[in-house]
Structures are given as structure tokens and as C-alpha cells.
Amino acid sequence: MAAEPVVYGASERPPRGDYARANADYTCAQDYAAYTSEDHDTYRRLYARQAALVPGRACDEFLAALPFLGASDHIPRFDQINERLRRATGWEIVGVPGLIPEVPFFTLLANRKFPVTDWIRTAAEFDYIVEPYIFHDLFGHVPLLFNPVFADHMQQYGKGGLKAHRLGACELLSRLYWYTIEFGLIRQKDGLRAYGAGIISSPGELRHAVESAEPARLPLEIERAMRTRYKIDSFQQTYFVIDSFQELFDKTAPDFAPIYARLIALQGRGRMVAI
Ligand code: PHE
Ligand code: FE
């Protein structure tokens, strides 16, 4: 059975990816021959812009692993990244045509496979696009998969996602994902740094998250993060801060079922959203 396209939220245009290429689990081979020289050049420019911004703003673990993505002047081959990634943490990346549904997404993570959108934005979209795409997925997410504690956390998240799906709590868990894996901050010896992929792959948000006096920065609290709605099309007003990836792992280890039950009950009474 071919995979159906997925759209989250209201969108004016259909999803870009070609879902006819995908297998039933939504993965597809990276179509390397399909990249044009403009695509490679867009990647090169995005990489160069972001690589100049991450020192002093992205966390040490990210900076240490960034070179493992390989060449920065063209789109890397997933196979080559996988040779290094499998050796480091047993993870691998798999191609997908775009956003995929919750269950296949969680299933991949639970099996230590990270889905990477294989297409790149056009030069006209250089500065902004809402959909995830290869640069965000690779540059933002993949370096931390080389870190053993973070890598284990991502797998636990996948297993927890399957459980949240059974309990009707995916929206609550997705807020936690948003405020940690996508927009998390970490306190390190030299100060506040970003580890979330949504921050690390965005030139504007990287400065806003780490340096601006505007946003609130709260210590990570699971329930609070799950109660905090997020916007996908503007900088965050609230960030949650951890002191180490071990803290993230430990804080997310307890059974979330009672938390979901409590928040869903509050939601029923219209009192769930904190901010
Ligand atoms: N401990 C969570 C649960 O019981 C699962 C989880 C682990 C969620 C890690 C997020 C991150 O549902
Ligand atoms: Fe992402």
C-alpha cells in the first residue's frame, strides 16, 4: 500500500513531497540523482550561514558532532552519514517524502531510525518555509543523534509516542517535543546554549532564543511544557531550559499516563492552557 500525504494544520498548498515514492512505512530511498546543482548550492549556502552562527550559541555536543555530517558544500548522502552514525550510537537516518503520520514516525524512532525529508527548499524559499525539509532535519536533528544520552532519549520518545497514541495524548506529548527536541535550551559552562533543532537550523531564532531579553526561559517542567501551546510560524515566547541531557532523560523517564489523565481532565474543563 502506498503512503498517503500528510498535512498538519491549515495549509494553502498541498504537501510538496512525492508520497508515491514512499514505502508503506513512509520511508523512501534518498533520490540523490534528483538534486539539481541549484539544490546543492542552496544547501551549501544554508550550511555556511548557519555554521557561522552556531559557535557560542549551539551546545558543545552539537558543535562536536557537526563535522560528522560530512561535506558542507553539497547535500550529503544519507548512506555515508549512516556509516558514522551506526558506529557512534546505532542510529540511522532514513529518507521520507515529508511529514509522516504519528504512528509511523514514533515507530521509526522507537527503532532508532530518524526520518529525514529528502528534498530541499527552492532558492526562492531560502529564508523561510514552515515544512521540515532536508536542511532542518539534517543540520538541526542529526548531530545530536551522535550523542549517546540524547540518542537514547530519542528512542524513548518514540516508544513514549506509541503509548501516547494509545492514550489519546499525542498533542500533549508533541508539545514536549516542541519545547525540548525542537526548541530546547541547555545551560552549559559558558552560558545558555541551544540544543533544539528548530532553533539550531534557524538564523533568526538562534539569536532570539539565546540572546534576546524578550522570551521567558523556565527550567524544564514536563507538565508545564505540555500545558504550553506553541506557534509554528513565529519565534517562541517561552523556552524550557535543562542543565544536561541526562536531566532530560531522567525527567522524561517516569510514566506519563497519570500526567496525561490529569491534563486531559483539566482540558475537559477548559483550564488546560497555561500561557
Ligand atoms: N516516560 C514517558 C511515558 O511513560 C515516555 C517518554 C520518554 C516520553 C522520553 C518522552 C521522552 O509515556
Ligand atoms: Fe524538526
Side-chain angles (χ1 to χ4, degrees), residues 105 114-115 132-133 136-137 140-141 177-178 181-183 196-198 201:
F105 177 67
F114 189 81
Y133 70 111
H136 164 80
D137 288 345
H141 287 284
Y177 187 94
W178 188 264
I181 294 163
E182 291 293 351
F183 289 94
S201 64

mmCIF file with all atom_site columns, all heavy atoms in Angstrom, residues 105 114-115 132-133 136-137 140-141 177-178 181-183 196-198 201, ligand 2:
data_model
loop_
_atom_site.group_PDB
_atom_site.id
_atom_site.type_symbol
_atom_site.label_atom_id
_atom_site.label_alt_id
_atom_site.label_comp_id
_atom_site.label_asym_id
_atom_site.label_entity_id
_atom_site.label_seq_id
_atom_site.pdbx_PDB_ins_code
_atom_site.Cartn_x
_atom_site.Cartn_y
_atom_site.Cartn_z
_atom_site.occupancy
_atom_site.B_iso_or_equiv
_atom_site.pdbx_formal_charge
_atom_site.auth_seq_id
_atom_site.auth_comp_id
_atom_site.auth_asym_id
_atom_site.auth_atom_id
_atom_site.pdbx_PDB_model_num
ATOM   1   N  N   . PHE A 1 105 ? 5.918  7.601  12.459 1.00 0.00 ? 105 PHE A N   1
ATOM   2   C  CA  . PHE A 1 105 ? 7.004  8.431  12.980 1.00 0.00 ? 105 PHE A CA  1
ATOM   3   C  C   . PHE A 1 105 ? 7.545  7.854  14.293 1.00 0.00 ? 105 PHE A C   1
ATOM   4   O  O   . PHE A 1 105 ? 8.749  7.622  14.451 1.00 0.00 ? 105 PHE A O   1
ATOM   5   C  CB  . PHE A 1 105 ? 6.487  9.865  13.196 1.00 0.00 ? 105 PHE A CB  1
ATOM   6   C  CG  . PHE A 1 105 ? 7.490  10.806 13.803 1.00 0.00 ? 105 PHE A CG  1
ATOM   7   C  CD1 . PHE A 1 105 ? 8.627  11.188 13.099 1.00 0.00 ? 105 PHE A CD1 1
ATOM   8   C  CD2 . PHE A 1 105 ? 7.294  11.334 15.075 1.00 0.00 ? 105 PHE A CD2 1
ATOM   9   C  CE1 . PHE A 1 105 ? 9.554  12.070 13.665 1.00 0.00 ? 105 PHE A CE1 1
ATOM   10  C  CE2 . PHE A 1 105 ? 8.220  12.215 15.643 1.00 0.00 ? 105 PHE A CE2 1
ATOM   11  C  CZ  . PHE A 1 105 ? 9.356  12.577 14.930 1.00 0.00 ? 105 PHE A CZ  1
ATOM   12  N  N   . PHE A 1 114 ? 15.830 7.739  12.245 1.00 0.00 ? 114 PHE A N   1
ATOM   13  C  CA  . PHE A 1 114 ? 15.341 9.118  12.227 1.00 0.00 ? 114 PHE A CA  1
ATOM   14  C  C   . PHE A 1 114 ? 14.959 9.509  10.800 1.00 0.00 ? 114 PHE A C   1
ATOM   15  O  O   . PHE A 1 114 ? 15.790 9.449  9.888  1.00 0.00 ? 114 PHE A O   1
ATOM   16  C  CB  . PHE A 1 114 ? 16.391 10.083 12.781 1.00 0.00 ? 114 PHE A CB  1
ATOM   17  C  CG  . PHE A 1 114 ? 15.817 11.453 12.969 1.00 0.00 ? 114 PHE A CG  1
ATOM   18  C  CD1 . PHE A 1 114 ? 15.060 11.742 14.100 1.00 0.00 ? 114 PHE A CD1 1
ATOM   19  C  CD2 . PHE A 1 114 ? 15.979 12.434 12.001 1.00 0.00 ? 114 PHE A CD2 1
ATOM   20  C  CE1 . PHE A 1 114 ? 14.474 12.988 14.255 1.00 0.00 ? 114 PHE A CE1 1
ATOM   21  C  CE2 . PHE A 1 114 ? 15.400 13.683 12.159 1.00 0.00 ? 114 PHE A CE2 1
ATOM   22  C  CZ  . PHE A 1 114 ? 14.651 13.963 13.292 1.00 0.00 ? 114 PHE A CZ  1
ATOM   23  N  N   . PRO A 1 115 ? 13.683 9.911  10.601 1.00 0.00 ? 115 PRO A N   1
ATOM   24  C  CA  . PRO A 1 115 ? 13.247 10.262 9.245  1.00 0.00 ? 115 PRO A CA  1
ATOM   25  C  C   . PRO A 1 115 ? 13.764 11.637 8.818  1.00 0.00 ? 115 PRO A C   1
ATOM   26  O  O   . PRO A 1 115 ? 13.608 12.622 9.547  1.00 0.00 ? 115 PRO A O   1
ATOM   27  C  CB  . PRO A 1 115 ? 11.721 10.270 9.353  1.00 0.00 ? 115 PRO A CB  1
ATOM   28  C  CG  . PRO A 1 115 ? 11.414 10.511 10.793 1.00 0.00 ? 115 PRO A CG  1
ATOM   29  C  CD  . PRO A 1 115 ? 12.581 9.989  11.592 1.00 0.00 ? 115 PRO A CD  1
ATOM   30  N  N   . PRO A 1 132 ? 9.149  20.942 7.417  1.00 0.00 ? 132 PRO A N   1
ATOM   31  C  CA  . PRO A 1 132 ? 10.532 20.500 7.606  1.00 0.00 ? 132 PRO A CA  1
ATOM   32  C  C   . PRO A 1 132 ? 11.116 20.103 6.252  1.00 0.00 ? 132 PRO A C   1
ATOM   33  O  O   . PRO A 1 132 ? 10.389 19.785 5.326  1.00 0.00 ? 132 PRO A O   1
ATOM   34  C  CB  . PRO A 1 132 ? 10.400 19.267 8.504  1.00 0.00 ? 132 PRO A CB  1
ATOM   35  C  CG  . PRO A 1 132 ? 8.988  18.846 8.446  1.00 0.00 ? 132 PRO A CG  1
ATOM   36  C  CD  . PRO A 1 132 ? 8.167  19.994 7.953  1.00 0.00 ? 132 PRO A CD  1
ATOM   37  N  N   . TYR A 1 133 ? 12.373 20.140 6.132  1.00 0.00 ? 133 TYR A N   1
ATOM   38  C  CA  . TYR A 1 133 ? 12.994 19.757 4.874  1.00 0.00 ? 133 TYR A CA  1
ATOM   39  C  C   . TYR A 1 133 ? 14.423 19.394 5.196  1.00 0.00 ? 133 TYR A C   1
ATOM   40  O  O   . TYR A 1 133 ? 14.864 19.472 6.342  1.00 0.00 ? 133 TYR A O   1
ATOM   41  C  CB  . TYR A 1 133 ? 12.885 20.900 3.848  1.00 0.00 ? 133 TYR A CB  1
ATOM   42  C  CG  . TYR A 1 133 ? 13.763 22.057 4.216  1.00 0.00 ? 133 TYR A CG  1
ATOM   43  C  CD1 . TYR A 1 133 ? 14.879 22.374 3.446  1.00 0.00 ? 133 TYR A CD1 1
ATOM   44  C  CD2 . TYR A 1 133 ? 13.518 22.800 5.366  1.00 0.00 ? 133 TYR A CD2 1
ATOM   45  C  CE1 . TYR A 1 133 ? 15.713 23.403 3.813  1.00 0.00 ? 133 TYR A CE1 1
ATOM   46  C  CE2 . TYR A 1 133 ? 14.350 23.832 5.736  1.00 0.00 ? 133 TYR A CE2 1
ATOM   47  C  CZ  . TYR A 1 133 ? 15.440 24.119 4.954  1.00 0.00 ? 133 TYR A CZ  1
ATOM   48  O  OH  . TYR A 1 133 ? 16.276 25.135 5.315  1.00 0.00 ? 133 TYR A OH  1
ATOM   49  N  N   . HIS A 1 136 ? 16.848 21.431 7.703  1.00 0.00 ? 136 HIS A N   1
ATOM   50  C  CA  . HIS A 1 136 ? 16.414 21.400 9.106  1.00 0.00 ? 136 HIS A CA  1
ATOM   51  C  C   . HIS A 1 136 ? 16.641 20.003 9.699  1.00 0.00 ? 136 HIS A C   1
ATOM   52  O  O   . HIS A 1 136 ? 17.184 19.870 10.800 1.00 0.00 ? 136 HIS A O   1
ATOM   53  C  CB  . HIS A 1 136 ? 14.944 21.782 9.219  1.00 0.00 ? 136 HIS A CB  1
ATOM   54  C  CG  . HIS A 1 136 ? 14.350 21.412 10.546 1.00 0.00 ? 136 HIS A CG  1
ATOM   55  N  ND1 . HIS A 1 136 ? 14.540 22.179 11.674 1.00 0.00 ? 136 HIS A ND1 1
ATOM   56  C  CD2 . HIS A 1 136 ? 13.623 20.339 10.943 1.00 0.00 ? 136 HIS A CD2 1
ATOM   57  C  CE1 . HIS A 1 136 ? 13.933 21.584 12.699 1.00 0.00 ? 136 HIS A CE1 1
ATOM   58  N  NE2 . HIS A 1 136 ? 13.380 20.466 12.289 1.00 0.00 ? 136 HIS A NE2 1
ATOM   59  N  N   . ASP A 1 137 ? 16.215 18.999 8.970  1.00 0.00 ? 137 ASP A N   1
ATOM   60  C  CA  . ASP A 1 137 ? 16.292 17.637 9.511  1.00 0.00 ? 137 ASP A CA  1
ATOM   61  C  C   . ASP A 1 137 ? 17.738 17.203 9.736  1.00 0.00 ? 137 ASP A C   1
ATOM   62  O  O   . ASP A 1 137 ? 18.062 16.629 10.773 1.00 0.00 ? 137 ASP A O   1
ATOM   63  C  CB  . ASP A 1 137 ? 15.588 16.655 8.572  1.00 0.00 ? 137 ASP A CB  1
ATOM   64  C  CG  . ASP A 1 137 ? 14.061 16.820 8.601  1.00 0.00 ? 137 ASP A CG  1
ATOM   65  O  OD1 . ASP A 1 137 ? 13.548 17.476 9.526  1.00 0.00 ? 137 ASP A OD1 1
ATOM   66  O  OD2 . ASP A 1 137 ? 13.390 16.284 7.703  1.00 0.00 ? 137 ASP A OD2 1
ATOM   67  N  N   . GLY A 1 140 ? 19.787 20.319 11.882 1.00 0.00 ? 140 GLY A N   1
ATOM   68  C  CA  . GLY A 1 140 ? 19.166 20.533 13.189 1.00 0.00 ? 140 GLY A CA  1
ATOM   69  C  C   . GLY A 1 140 ? 19.146 19.290 14.060 1.00 0.00 ? 140 GLY A C   1
ATOM   70  O  O   . GLY A 1 140 ? 19.468 19.349 15.240 1.00 0.00 ? 140 GLY A O   1
ATOM   71  N  N   . HIS A 1 141 ? 18.736 18.163 13.484 1.00 0.00 ? 141 HIS A N   1
ATOM   72  C  CA  . HIS A 1 141 ? 18.478 16.978 14.314 1.00 0.00 ? 141 HIS A CA  1
ATOM   73  C  C   . HIS A 1 141 ? 19.611 15.966 14.377 1.00 0.00 ? 141 HIS A C   1
ATOM   74  O  O   . HIS A 1 141 ? 19.770 15.285 15.394 1.00 0.00 ? 141 HIS A O   1
ATOM   75  C  CB  . HIS A 1 141 ? 17.234 16.234 13.816 1.00 0.00 ? 141 HIS A CB  1
ATOM   76  C  CG  . HIS A 1 141 ? 15.938 16.926 14.120 1.00 0.00 ? 141 HIS A CG  1
ATOM   77  N  ND1 . HIS A 1 141 ? 15.378 16.929 15.374 1.00 0.00 ? 141 HIS A ND1 1
ATOM   78  C  CD2 . HIS A 1 141 ? 15.085 17.629 13.334 1.00 0.00 ? 141 HIS A CD2 1
ATOM   79  C  CE1 . HIS A 1 141 ? 14.235 17.594 15.347 1.00 0.00 ? 141 HIS A CE1 1
ATOM   80  N  NE2 . HIS A 1 141 ? 14.041 18.050 14.116 1.00 0.00 ? 141 HIS A NE2 1
ATOM   81  N  N   . TYR A 1 177 ? 7.812  17.620 22.832 1.00 0.00 ? 177 TYR A N   1
ATOM   82  C  CA  . TYR A 1 177 ? 8.775  17.508 21.723 1.00 0.00 ? 177 TYR A CA  1
ATOM   83  C  C   . TYR A 1 177 ? 9.164  18.907 21.246 1.00 0.00 ? 177 TYR A C   1
ATOM   84  O  O   . TYR A 1 177 ? 10.337 19.214 21.044 1.00 0.00 ? 177 TYR A O   1
ATOM   85  C  CB  . TYR A 1 177 ? 8.112  16.728 20.582 1.00 0.00 ? 177 TYR A CB  1
ATOM   86  C  CG  . TYR A 1 177 ? 9.008  16.377 19.412 1.00 0.00 ? 177 TYR A CG  1
ATOM   87  C  CD1 . TYR A 1 177 ? 9.662  15.150 19.365 1.00 0.00 ? 177 TYR A CD1 1
ATOM   88  C  CD2 . TYR A 1 177 ? 9.170  17.237 18.318 1.00 0.00 ? 177 TYR A CD2 1
ATOM   89  C  CE1 . TYR A 1 177 ? 10.456 14.789 18.280 1.00 0.00 ? 177 TYR A CE1 1
ATOM   90  C  CE2 . TYR A 1 177 ? 9.959  16.891 17.233 1.00 0.00 ? 177 TYR A CE2 1
ATOM   91  C  CZ  . TYR A 1 177 ? 10.601 15.662 17.220 1.00 0.00 ? 177 TYR A CZ  1
ATOM   92  O  OH  . TYR A 1 177 ? 11.394 15.313 16.142 1.00 0.00 ? 177 TYR A OH  1
ATOM   93  N  N   . TRP A 1 178 ? 8.131  19.723 21.096 1.00 0.00 ? 178 TRP A N   1
ATOM   94  C  CA  . TRP A 1 178 ? 8.357  21.080 20.605 1.00 0.00 ? 178 TRP A CA  1
ATOM   95  C  C   . TRP A 1 178 ? 9.319  21.846 21.520 1.00 0.00 ? 178 TRP A C   1
ATOM   96  O  O   . TRP A 1 178 ? 10.274 22.466 21.066 1.00 0.00 ? 178 TRP A O   1
ATOM   97  C  CB  . TRP A 1 178 ? 7.008  21.809 20.528 1.00 0.00 ? 178 TRP A CB  1
ATOM   98  C  CG  . TRP A 1 178 ? 7.113  23.135 19.862 1.00 0.00 ? 178 TRP A CG  1
ATOM   99  C  CD1 . TRP A 1 178 ? 7.252  24.348 20.469 1.00 0.00 ? 178 TRP A CD1 1
ATOM   100 C  CD2 . TRP A 1 178 ? 7.087  23.387 18.455 1.00 0.00 ? 178 TRP A CD2 1
ATOM   101 N  NE1 . TRP A 1 178 ? 7.318  25.339 19.527 1.00 0.00 ? 178 TRP A NE1 1
ATOM   102 C  CE2 . TRP A 1 178 ? 7.218  24.775 18.284 1.00 0.00 ? 178 TRP A CE2 1
ATOM   103 C  CE3 . TRP A 1 178 ? 6.966  22.557 17.325 1.00 0.00 ? 178 TRP A CE3 1
ATOM   104 C  CZ2 . TRP A 1 178 ? 7.234  25.368 17.027 1.00 0.00 ? 178 TRP A CZ2 1
ATOM   105 C  CZ3 . TRP A 1 178 ? 6.987  23.155 16.072 1.00 0.00 ? 178 TRP A CZ3 1
ATOM   106 C  CH2 . TRP A 1 178 ? 7.117  24.539 15.933 1.00 0.00 ? 178 TRP A CH2 1
ATOM   107 N  N   . ILE A 1 181 ? 13.087 18.805 22.008 1.00 0.00 ? 181 ILE A N   1
ATOM   108 C  CA  . ILE A 1 181 ? 13.822 18.368 20.819 1.00 0.00 ? 181 ILE A CA  1
ATOM   109 C  C   . ILE A 1 181 ? 13.855 19.457 19.738 1.00 0.00 ? 181 ILE A C   1
ATOM   110 O  O   . ILE A 1 181 ? 14.844 19.608 19.031 1.00 0.00 ? 181 ILE A O   1
ATOM   111 C  CB  . ILE A 1 181 ? 13.210 17.045 20.304 1.00 0.00 ? 181 ILE A CB  1
ATOM   112 C  CG1 . ILE A 1 181 ? 13.450 15.944 21.354 1.00 0.00 ? 181 ILE A CG1 1
ATOM   113 C  CG2 . ILE A 1 181 ? 13.780 16.653 18.951 1.00 0.00 ? 181 ILE A CG2 1
ATOM   114 C  CD1 . ILE A 1 181 ? 12.571 14.705 21.189 1.00 0.00 ? 181 ILE A CD1 1
ATOM   115 N  N   . GLU A 1 182 ? 12.781 20.249 19.633 1.00 0.00 ? 182 GLU A N   1
ATOM   116 C  CA  . GLU A 1 182 ? 12.795 21.324 18.625 1.00 0.00 ? 182 GLU A CA  1
ATOM   117 C  C   . GLU A 1 182 ? 13.298 22.671 19.161 1.00 0.00 ? 182 GLU A C   1
ATOM   118 O  O   . GLU A 1 182 ? 14.038 23.367 18.471 1.00 0.00 ? 182 GLU A O   1
ATOM   119 C  CB  . GLU A 1 182 ? 11.400 21.531 18.016 1.00 0.00 ? 182 GLU A CB  1
ATOM   120 C  CG  . GLU A 1 182 ? 10.910 20.390 17.126 1.00 0.00 ? 182 GLU A CG  1
ATOM   121 C  CD  . GLU A 1 182 ? 11.695 20.221 15.823 1.00 0.00 ? 182 GLU A CD  1
ATOM   122 O  OE1 . GLU A 1 182 ? 12.535 21.071 15.486 1.00 0.00 ? 182 GLU A OE1 1
ATOM   123 O  OE2 . GLU A 1 182 ? 11.457 19.195 15.162 1.00 0.00 ? 182 GLU A OE2 1
ATOM   124 N  N   . PHE A 1 183 ? 12.878 23.036 20.376 1.00 0.00 ? 183 PHE A N   1
ATOM   125 C  CA  . PHE A 1 183 ? 13.206 24.395 20.840 1.00 0.00 ? 183 PHE A CA  1
ATOM   126 C  C   . PHE A 1 183 ? 13.831 24.430 22.231 1.00 0.00 ? 183 PHE A C   1
ATOM   127 O  O   . PHE A 1 183 ? 13.713 25.434 22.948 1.00 0.00 ? 183 PHE A O   1
ATOM   128 C  CB  . PHE A 1 183 ? 11.971 25.308 20.740 1.00 0.00 ? 183 PHE A CB  1
ATOM   129 C  CG  . PHE A 1 183 ? 11.629 25.624 19.303 1.00 0.00 ? 183 PHE A CG  1
ATOM   130 C  CD1 . PHE A 1 183 ? 10.690 24.862 18.611 1.00 0.00 ? 183 PHE A CD1 1
ATOM   131 C  CD2 . PHE A 1 183 ? 12.305 26.615 18.618 1.00 0.00 ? 183 PHE A CD2 1
ATOM   132 C  CE1 . PHE A 1 183 ? 10.417 25.107 17.263 1.00 0.00 ? 183 PHE A CE1 1
ATOM   133 C  CE2 . PHE A 1 183 ? 12.046 26.872 17.273 1.00 0.00 ? 183 PHE A CE2 1
ATOM   134 C  CZ  . PHE A 1 183 ? 11.100 26.122 16.602 1.00 0.00 ? 183 PHE A CZ  1
ATOM   135 N  N   . GLY A 1 196 ? 17.822 22.507 20.655 1.00 0.00 ? 196 GLY A N   1
ATOM   136 C  CA  . GLY A 1 196 ? 16.651 22.174 19.839 1.00 0.00 ? 196 GLY A CA  1
ATOM   137 C  C   . GLY A 1 196 ? 16.909 22.435 18.361 1.00 0.00 ? 196 GLY A C   1
ATOM   138 O  O   . GLY A 1 196 ? 17.473 23.456 17.982 1.00 0.00 ? 196 GLY A O   1
ATOM   139 N  N   . ALA A 1 197 ? 16.453 21.485 17.538 1.00 0.00 ? 197 ALA A N   1
ATOM   140 C  CA  . ALA A 1 197 ? 16.722 21.549 16.095 1.00 0.00 ? 197 ALA A CA  1
ATOM   141 C  C   . ALA A 1 197 ? 16.068 22.747 15.423 1.00 0.00 ? 197 ALA A C   1
ATOM   142 O  O   . ALA A 1 197 ? 16.610 23.304 14.468 1.00 0.00 ? 197 ALA A O   1
ATOM   143 C  CB  . ALA A 1 197 ? 16.240 20.263 15.426 1.00 0.00 ? 197 ALA A CB  1
ATOM   144 N  N   . GLY A 1 198 ? 14.891 23.141 15.918 1.00 0.00 ? 198 GLY A N   1
ATOM   145 C  CA  . GLY A 1 198 ? 14.196 24.277 15.318 1.00 0.00 ? 198 GLY A CA  1
ATOM   146 C  C   . GLY A 1 198 ? 14.946 25.574 15.551 1.00 0.00 ? 198 GLY A C   1
ATOM   147 O  O   . GLY A 1 198 ? 14.896 26.496 14.737 1.00 0.00 ? 198 GLY A O   1
ATOM   148 N  N   . SER A 1 201 ? 18.602 25.303 13.429 1.00 0.00 ? 201 SER A N   1
ATOM   149 C  CA  . SER A 1 201 ? 18.573 25.420 11.969 1.00 0.00 ? 201 SER A CA  1
ATOM   150 C  C   . SER A 1 201 ? 17.987 26.754 11.505 1.00 0.00 ? 201 SER A C   1
ATOM   151 O  O   . SER A 1 201 ? 17.824 26.958 10.308 1.00 0.00 ? 201 SER A O   1
ATOM   152 C  CB  . SER A 1 201 ? 17.788 24.250 11.358 1.00 0.00 ? 201 SER A CB  1
ATOM   153 O  OG  . SER A 1 201 ? 16.429 24.297 11.752 1.00 0.00 ? 201 SER A OG  1
HETATM 154 FE FE  . FE  B 2 .   ? 12.313 19.049 13.436 1.00 0.00 ? 2   FE  B FE  1
#
